[in-house]
Amino acid sequence: RGARSYDPREEAPSELHLLGLTVDEALPGVDKFLDASARSGRAEVRIVHGHGTGRLRLAVRAHLKGHPLVGAFRPGVAGEGGDGATVVTLV
């Protein structure tokens, strides 16, 4: 058997889908996702929360403010999900 190279980024996906979740269900998952992404060396990730009523989007973005693993975040642009996604730059 040949040796397989190890890429730690394979351990954490580059995006998290929160569609259909409540705020209380989503936020703990956001923390786990950010932690795993930071540990795997990712510089940028995407959180897909959808458009809906906007409650989940607002809660996620409020949660990201001041989060110790978050350097910056912005709404997605065309091709990234638009305002139905948030792109996060990790520290």
Side-chain angles (χ1 to χ4, degrees):
R1 257 188 249 188
R4 183 173 166 225
S5 64
Y6 174 73
D7 182 351
R9 289 171 295 183
E10 290 178 8
E11 297 295 314
S14 61
E15 63 182 40
L16 174 67
H17 290 258
L18 302 176
L19 301 172
L21 299 181
T22 66
V23 170
D24 289 338
E25 292 169 337
L27 295 183
V30 169
D31 286 335
K32 288 178 186 174
F33 172 68
L34 293 175
D35 183 56
S37 297
R39 281 188 284 110
S40 70
R42 289 200 181 277
E44 186 177 270
V45 294
R46 183 169 62 152
I47 299 173
V48 180
H49 39 67
H51 295 279
T53 64
R55 186 166 181 246
L56 187 55
R57 177 188 70 240
L58 293 173
V60 165
R61 291 179 182 170
H63 190 70
L64 296 174
K65 286 182 184 173
H67 193 288
L69 297 175
V70 175
F73 63 91
R74 62 174 173 78
V77 296
E80 292 178 325
D83 207 32
T86 300
V87 178
V88 181
T89 303
L90 300 170
V91 293

